[in-house]
Amino acid sequence: MATFFGEVVFSASRAIDDDDDEDSFANENSEVITLDLSPAFSKTTKDVGKATDQLVVTLGPAANVFADCYILHQEKETVGTMNKRLDRDGQPIEGAILSRLREHTDVLLCKCVKDIEQHLQFSFVEQLFSFLGNSNTSVTILSSCSGSDYQTHRQDVSFPIFRCLKTSSFTGEVAAPHLEPPNTISGLASSALSYCQIHGIPAVMYVIYTDSIFMDSGAITAFNPLLKLQPFRKVAKKTNNFQGIIKAAVDRPSNLDSLYT
Amino acid sequence: MSDRYDRAITVFSPDGHLFQVEYAQEAVKKGSTAVGVRGQDIVVLGVEKKSVAKLQEERTVRKICLLDDHVCMAFAGLTADARILINRARVECQSHKLTVEDPVTVEYITRHMAQLKQRYTQSNGRRPFGLSTLVMGFDYDGTPRLYQTDPAGTYHSWKANAIGRSAKSVREFLEEHYSEEVSASEHETVKLAVKALLEVVQSGAKNIEMAVMKRGEPLKMFELEEIEKFVAEIEKEKEEEAEKKKQKKAGKET
């Protein structure tokens, strides 16, 4: 079953005996996602929304490290967090951090630090865009996928592969070739892009297909063509600790990876 | 289309591919870089050292292994496959020595490993070895040798080569900078191997391991200080070259 922009909704299999899963389904139904604003912004919600011309959403480790290297190392303020809770009063688990730079208050960055489950994605997207409230906001989504998801007849593909998908109201320049059919995008990136398409919000999603199950520097630097376009051209500044951040992101799992030498 | 020809490695696809062998070559690219350079009187192997976990014994994570007193190899790819291949090669080296009372030639042991690898590309139910090797050493007549094998079971002699991650860019670097003059000098041969590795190893000497073999001498593993000397020399040369270019540019502008 497909909806907009290749979003595929996976229906539960009738072949599975659901009796044992009743508890987990019960939990799923009560899990919520809430947007919790920082004290400094809780009374100025509308102002933040009105002031935001560009929203950048980063999903996955490669996009997050790219944001750390070029944007988040600068002086910033945390606008709020999107928190997952088991129920309305449960302990919050940070799912995404909303921040903006002091120098460029018109650019809001939403860095997703945890995977957002499928049943929470719509709520996440709805709350995020309701908070913005500004229909002139332009959205850029950065995400990454496994190379094995990339379908092509060509034999000579080399990873990382950089592609984009955009809404019909997006008229700006793109930094990557369009994602070829029959490839589709799923997950939060797809939910966000679908929402933008329905509500006429100009949005573009960039995806990196990488063949490594662990983070590698190639996947991070594959986003570099974005630095020539807005909003990155305006706000991006390479951190002095660029190599350090990349190394920390790349080295962490490779210590445990003894499969290849 | 390729997914119908993945399962049994003995099956060719309609356009002549053995996909499992090609996938094994992809596994090689996941291993860190290894470089080999053959000089007239010296052969050098350099590898990008893998970062070792805090509690792991560093000396058990090695990419350079001795096969016999006069033959050494570096590999890139699946660690476990490398262990099996190295053990088989070592046994063969000793078996050969006991049988014919002569040490193996570098070509002989390389051919032995390549034949083993090829057998695994043609046997049903087995997958190919997911590694490439650089085998270096001296034959009993004193000739230096450097060979490379790949998962398909092919082997070739090289003057200089690289395997593993970013092997293509390192090989291009070697093609540009290798010359008979460089190979005539032991120091320059080692420096070329270090320079080639520095193209892909960001963090310098502490992530590089070097092994050299000279005619009639056993394998020597470089200490960190020795590698750091080479790195410092290379960096100095780079700075001098950059300075020269700057002056040339300033001269042209005036």
Side-chain angles (χ1 to χ4, degrees), chain A residues 37-91:
Chain A
L37 292 170
S38 309
F41 291 92
S42 51
K43 290 178 185 165
T44 57
T45 314
K46 282 185 187 165
D47 296 338
V48 175
K50 274 187 193 165
T52 303
D53 285 334
Q54 305 263 6
L55 169 68
V56 176
V57 182
T58 59
L59 307 163
N64 286 346
V65 174
F66 179 77
D68 287 339
C69 288
Y70 286 100
I71 304 176
L72 291 172
H73 64 94
Q74 301 174 55
E75 265 211 56
K76 62 182 184 289
E77 41 196 12
T78 303
V79 173
T81 51
M82 299 286 274
N83 293 318
K84 291 193 287 189
R85 294 164 204 270
L86 275 178
D87 51 54
R88 285 253 161 236
D89 305 315
Q91 282 293 332

Side-chain angles (χ1 to χ4, degrees), chain A:
Chain A
M1 184 167 73
T3 59
F4 294 103
F5 271 81
E7 183 192 359
V8 178
V9 178
F10 295 99
S11 46
S13 168
R14 291 172 294 178
I16 297 169
D17 185 0
D18 278 345
D19 288 345
D20 296 333
D21 291 339
E22 267 172 25
D23 286 342
S24 64
F25 274 127
N27 278 345
E28 213 180 75
N29 286 336
S30 63
E31 257 186 327
V32 293
I33 197 150
T34 54
L35 170 56
D36 300 319
L37 292 170
S38 309
F41 291 92
S42 51
K43 290 178 185 165
T44 57
T45 314
K46 282 185 187 165
D47 296 338
V48 175
K50 274 187 193 165
T52 303
D53 285 334
Q54 305 263 6
L55 169 68
V56 176
V57 182
T58 59
L59 307 163
N64 286 346
V65 174
F66 179 77
D68 287 339
C69 288
Y70 286 100
I71 304 176
L72 291 172
H73 64 94
Q74 301 174 55
E75 265 211 56
K76 62 182 184 289
E77 41 196 12
T78 303
V79 173
T81 51
M82 299 286 274
N83 293 318
K84 291 193 287 189
R85 294 164 204 270
L86 275 178
D87 51 54
R88 285 253 161 236
D89 305 315
Q91 282 293 332
I93 304 166
E94 205 173 68
I97 306 169
L98 294 169
S99 39
R100 65 178 191 182
L101 299 178
R102 286 190 200 278
E103 218 180 300
H104 301 282
T105 54
D106 57 335
V107 177
L108 189 70
L109 187 77
C110 175
K111 179 180 168 185
C112 295
V113 295
K114 287 243 163 38
D115 279 337
I116 308 293
E117 288 83 5
Q118 197 178 352
H119 61 281
L120 296 173
Q121 283 168 9
F122 177 72
S123 176
F124 180 102
V125 169
E126 206 185 25
Q127 288 191 62
L128 180 63
F129 284 97
S130 304
F131 165 70
L132 288 177
N134 181 1
S135 59
N136 292 329
T137 305
S138 182
V139 180
T140 308
I141 305 164
L142 307 185
S143 78
S144 52
C145 282
S146 164
S148 54
D149 292 338
Y150 186 70
Q151 298 172 61
T152 177
H153 288 296
R154 287 169 49 201
Q155 305 286 356
D156 60 342
V157 286
S158 67
F159 291 98
I161 294 173
F162 190 36
R163 294 290 185 264
C164 78
L165 271 179
K166 59 188 177 86
T167 60
S168 45
S169 48
F170 183 87
T171 52
E173 214 183 313
V174 293
H178 285 97
L179 186 62
E180 311 91 338
N183 291 294
T184 59
I185 297 293
S186 59
L188 189 56
S190 156
S191 295
L193 202 63
S194 301
Y195 186 96
C196 293
Q197 172 66 12
I198 293 166
H199 291 84
I201 301 171
V204 58
M205 186 220 62
Y206 293 98
V207 60
I208 295 285
Y209 287 93
T210 168
D211 61 344
S212 173
I213 53 171
F214 295 117
M215 171 78 76
D216 74 81
S217 54
I220 301 163
T221 52
F223 283 115
N224 282 356
L226 290 172
L227 296 171
K228 296 180 198 154
L229 301 177
Q230 299 292 9
F232 299 95
R233 194 167 62 195
K234 188 169 67 172
V235 305
K237 267 186 217 164
K238 194 171 173 178
T239 170
N240 294 334
N241 189 26
F242 182 76
Q243 291 295 345
I245 295 178
I246 298 252
K247 194 169 187 307
V250 168
D251 277 354
R252 224 176 295 123
S254 70
N255 283 346
L256 309 169
D257 172 24
S258 54
L259 196 63
Y260 302 97
T261 299

Side-chain angles (χ1 to χ4, degrees), chain B residues 6 10 24 29-30 38 40 76 85 92 98 110 114 121 135 144 148 159 185-186 192 199 215 241 243 246:
Chain B
D6 284 4
T10 51
K29 291 182 194 165
K30 292 199 178 325
R38 186 188 81 198
Q40 285 175 13
L85 201 67
E92 179 60 23
L98 290 167
T110 307
T121 68
V135 187
Q148 185 232 347
K159 293 177 186 169
S185 156
E186 289 178 7
L192 177 62
E199 290 289 299
R215 191 175 290 111
E241 215 176 295
E243 191 58 47
K246 228 183 184 177

